[in-house]
Amino acid sequence: MPTDCISYQKSGYFSKLIVDYLEQKTELKALYNRFPTLENFRLQIAEKAQEFNSKDNRKILVTALEQQYQSFDISKVTQNNISLLSNTNTFTVTTGHQLNLFTGPLYFLYKIVSTINLCKELKQAYPDYNFVPVYWMATEDHDFAEINYFHFKHAKIQWNRESNGPVGRLSTDGLEEVFEVFAKELGLGDNASYLKSLFTNSYLKQGNLADATRYLANELFGNQGLVIIDGDDVALKQLFAPFVKQELLQQTAFEKVNQTNEMLKDYTIQVNPREINLFYIEDNIRERIVLEDGHYKVNQTNLVFTEKEILALVDSNPEKFSPNVILRPLYQEVILPNLCYIGGGGEIAYWLQLKSNFEANQISFPILLVRNSVLLATEKQSQKADKLGLSWADLFSNQQALFNQKTQEFSHLNLDFTAQKEHLKKQFAALHEMALQTDSSFGKAVKAQEVKQLKGLENLEKRLLKAEKRQHADVLERIIQLQNELFPNQSLQERRSNFSEFYVEFGEDSIRKLHDNLNPLASNFTILVL
């Protein structure tokens, strides 16, 4: 295969907004602080240090993390990273993700490896500072249907139960049945045994989904120093309380983000702000807070507060207030000495909507980095592609376009009738000149005949292409079969397949290769052959 990477822009899987961001288009520069280059981190460090190091947040953060990890065995490197956060020369690089069952799609791993690898690169470039990789668990999300399953090969492994509150607090009861289904699919072997043990220890021995996810991520990445944080924490929410009050009283985010959305009207808008971008949460409740007739009401409940009452509740019980997608990034940047957020294209797109709200709240806006994307292929698949004369760029193509392109390449005939069409148009051009000198009905007849004959040529072109496809059906079928293996449902493998599908065959090597090969600042779609 001629190459092992494709630029994000040429992959065809990123939105116009992300492509324009990666190309640093002038019209977007007001929407981010600094573009992710190694040199720009020097300025980001100085800016965040000035903002963050004058506060007591570091001590509170470290204490909260130590409490969150209290019942977990953690590596010395993770333990050291938590301690380092007390120091004013330590900063974080953060990614966030939902609590998908058994990590969900592959890109969960790519986010975290991107974060770990960037910290290593920053340490080499700026040895006087420490850089800690952080995974922010989305424990306060409530959309259980998005996270209650994962795919293993052709099987959908799903956890069926009711959930109304924050998913992190959800009991893991009922996952025994899920494990039984998964274990049967895994079969036998050392790698299968490891995965069964990992699932059991993560989901059958932990009390809630937040602890299960922490255990799982810690097992996979603890030896790399990953620090896992749960924002559903009283002490951390107390740090955010002033911003919660600001949101309740001023609704600044609604104004600022709407202004930015107007600037982005030529792009697809990811998120729209609400007047109040906060939820009220308890174990089985996560509902929007709305302001009606001077009172703060919790949607779908009987809870109503005066302004004085709700501000008092922020002071006494800050854990009852949960930021939505608009404010969660602000919460993160308030409590962490963070330099950079790493996310997928959709995430970075909505972060680009938020800078003006950060400025209004006087919080430094982090560098935004599009996470690594990866296509995993086996040696057998790579060899198939070679034999079929396929490049990686070919395999990333639209399936119908690939089908047509390869048919033309295999045929000894010229399947493109463009020259014939142009010749026909020239002939009719002379007839149109003649028509100008006579009755208008003759001109209409000439035009009708031109349309008919061009249409006839197009039909012949399609029939010839179809005939040639039949001639080369065998090899074309093998091409499409290979593309379907690598791009399930004609979509990205990383958005569907689970890491266990590759781990059961290749073991630890499948994860080690990610650490060895992913370059977070390269902006390339990486192809890894296992």
Side-chain angles (χ1 to χ4, degrees):
M1 303 291 275
T3 183
D4 61 355
C5 62
I6 292 173
S7 74
Y8 290 154
Q9 294 95 315
K10 291 181 179 177
S11 72
Y13 282 95
F14 288 85
S15 68
K16 183 178 185 298
L17 177 58
I18 294 303
V19 169
D20 286 355
Y21 172 63
L22 292 170
E23 293 178 353
Q24 301 182 61
K25 291 288 179 71
T26 305
E27 55 268 32
L28 294 179
K29 289 195 173 177
L31 304 183
Y32 58 92
N33 196 1
R34 295 179 179 90
F35 194 74
T37 64
L38 208 51
E39 298 74 25
N40 279 343
F41 275 93
R42 187 184 302 279
L43 295 170
Q44 194 73 20
I45 290 167
E47 182 179 312
K48 193 66 182 182
Q50 185 177 14
E51 171 198 285
F52 200 83
N53 289 343
S54 60
K55 303 173 183 176
D56 294 327
N57 292 28
R58 286 184 181 273
K59 184 178 178 183
I60 295 166
L61 173 63
V62 170
T63 301
L65 285 168
E66 288 173 343
Q67 288 176 349
Q68 290 183 16
Y69 272 98
Q70 210 163 29
S71 59
F72 291 84
D73 291 327
I74 60 174
S75 68
K76 286 184 179 179
V77 63
T78 292
Q79 207 163 24
N80 185 51
N81 275 345
I82 292 173
S83 298
L84 284 173
L85 287 168
S86 298
N87 302 340
T88 56
N89 68 335
T90 301
F91 298 90
T92 62
V93 174
T94 303
T95 192
H97 198 66
Q98 295 170 293
L99 308 188
N100 294 73
L101 190 61
F102 213 51
T103 76
L106 275 163
Y107 66 80
F108 170 83
L109 274 70
Y110 305 158
K111 280 183 169 184
I112 292 177
V113 175
S114 299
T115 305
I116 290 166
N117 282 2
L118 180 58
C119 285
K120 291 176 182 177
E121 198 169 346
L122 289 173
K123 183 63 178 175
Q124 285 188 328
Y126 303 103
D128 293 337
Y129 298 95
N130 304 306
F131 305 93
V132 175
V134 171
Y135 161 42
W136 182 290
M137 295 192 295
T139 55
E140 296 178 62
D141 281 6
H142 74 294
D143 198 340
F144 184 62
E146 287 187 358
I147 66 167
N148 70 337
Y149 67 93
F150 64 96
H151 292 100
F152 179 78
K153 299 183 179 177
H154 299 295
K156 184 177 183 180
I157 314 294
Q158 187 163 326
W159 180 22
N160 296 310
R161 63 161 298 165
E162 290 295 317
S163 173
N164 297 309
V167 292
R169 302 184 189 183
L170 190 63
S171 164
T172 52
D173 291 346
L175 277 164
E176 296 85 357
E177 292 86 352
V178 175
F179 172 70
E180 287 177 15
V181 174
F182 184 39
K184 285 179 184 175
E185 293 289 340
L186 281 170
L188 303 174
D190 291 345
N191 293 336
S193 295
Y194 170 76
L195 291 169
K196 290 171 190 176
S197 171
L198 183 60
F199 190 99
T200 298
N201 291 330
S202 299
Y203 292 98
L204 307 188
K205 295 184 180 179
Q206 307 299 325
N208 60 41
L209 197 53
D211 284 347
T213 306
R214 183 188 297 277
Y215 183 93
L216 177 62
N218 185 59
E219 282 295 303
L220 292 173
F221 298 107
N223 63 349
Q224 298 287 332
L226 181 69
V227 173
I228 302 157
I229 189 167
D230 183 353
D232 191 4
D233 183 289
V234 178
L236 299 178
K237 288 284 180 75
Q238 283 173 338
L239 292 176
F240 193 57
F243 301 89
V244 172
K245 290 181 179 179
Q246 159 83 2
E247 178 68 9
L248 290 167
L249 296 175
Q250 304 296 330
Q251 291 97 57
T252 306
F254 181 71
E255 175 194 348
K256 296 297 182 183
V257 177
N258 272 330
Q259 288 173 1
T260 301
N261 286 357
E262 186 61 29
M263 294 170 59
L264 289 167
K265 61 186 178 182
D266 292 334
Y267 299 97
T268 300
I269 299 295
Q270 288 292 114
V271 291
N272 287 295
R274 298 191 180 275
E275 290 186 3
I276 295 176
N277 294 281
L278 294 166
F279 290 97
Y280 177 92
I281 61 170
E282 292 181 8
D283 286 352
N284 293 302
I285 298 174
R286 185 179 184 266
E287 294 290 348
R288 288 193 300 115
I289 298 171
V290 295
L291 181 59
E292 292 180 4
D293 303 322
H295 286 77
Y296 294 88
K297 299 179 180 180
V298 178
N299 209 31
Q300 308 295 328
T301 75
N302 295 322
L303 293 169
V304 182
F305 304 94
T306 63
E307 181 181 293
K308 185 178 179 181
E309 288 169 341
I310 202 163
L311 294 178
L313 187 64
V314 175
D315 288 328
S316 64
N317 295 91
E319 74 280 2
K320 290 185 182 290
F321 296 85
S322 175
N324 73 355
V325 67
I326 296 288
L327 284 190
R328 192 210 63 77
L330 184 68
Y331 176 35
Q332 171 190 298
E333 298 301 312
V334 165
I335 66 174
L336 291 175
N338 197 48
L339 303 175
C340 175
Y341 184 76
I342 296 180
E347 287 177 283
I348 300 305
Y350 82 71
W351 273 83
L352 289 168
Q353 297 175 238
L354 305 179
K355 183 167 177 272
S356 60
N357 188 50
F358 272 73
E359 291 170 342
N361 284 281
Q362 297 182 307
I363 296 296
S364 175
F365 197 60
I367 288 174
L368 303 178
L369 178 62
V370 180
R371 64 165 172 83
N372 284 116
S373 281
V374 182
L375 175 65
L376 296 178
T378 65
E379 282 188 10
K380 187 177 178 182
Q381 288 169 330
S382 179
Q383 288 165 2
K384 273 186 189 176
D386 279 338
K387 287 178 183 175
L388 292 166
L390 294 168
S391 68
W392 291 118
D394 288 335
L395 288 163
F396 271 81
S397 301
N398 169 274
Q399 190 162 97
Q400 192 58 53
L402 176 62
F403 206 63
N404 292 344
Q405 175 199 330
K406 290 301 170 182
T407 302
Q408 298 219 17
E409 286 180 17
F410 297 148
S411 176
H412 66 281
L413 303 171
N414 182 5
L415 307 183
D416 185 353
F417 281 18
T418 301
Q420 289 88 340
K421 290 174 193 173
E422 289 303 315
H423 180 68
L424 188 66
K425 285 177 184 176
K426 285 177 183 175
Q427 288 182 317
F428 272 95
L431 287 172
H432 285 302
E433 285 292 325
M434 190 184 300
L436 291 174
Q437 301 172 37
T438 186
D439 186 85
S440 62
S441 62
F442 179 72
K444 291 176 182 177
V446 169
K447 183 63 182 173
Q449 191 61 224
E450 180 184 16
V451 169
K452 182 180 178 181
Q453 292 200 30
L454 283 171
K455 185 70 176 173
L457 271 178
E458 286 174 5
N459 288 334
L460 285 172
E461 186 178 41
K462 288 176 184 176
R463 288 188 69 173
L464 180 58
L465 180 62
K466 197 172 180 180
E468 286 299 290
K469 284 177 181 177
R470 286 196 295 271
Q471 286 285 329
H472 304 282
D474 180 58
V475 66
L476 289 168
E477 179 60 34
R478 281 185 282 143
I479 287 172
I480 296 308
Q481 184 180 5
L482 178 60
Q483 191 188 48
N484 286 341
E485 288 175 13
L486 295 169
F487 294 83
N489 296 333
Q490 296 181 46
S491 184
L492 288 178
Q493 174 197 76
E494 64 179 36
R495 294 179 187 168
R496 178 182 172 86
S497 301
N498 183 263
F499 86 98
S500 58
E501 185 174 326
F502 296 90
Y503 197 100
V504 76
E505 186 173 352
F506 301 101
E508 181 61 31
D509 189 52
S510 60
I511 295 178
R512 182 184 54 77
K513 277 206 168 186
L514 298 177
H515 290 292
D516 291 347
N517 289 281
L518 298 195
N519 179 356
L521 296 174
S523 295
N524 284 327
F525 209 116
T526 306
I527 294 94
L528 288 181
V529 178
L530 298 173

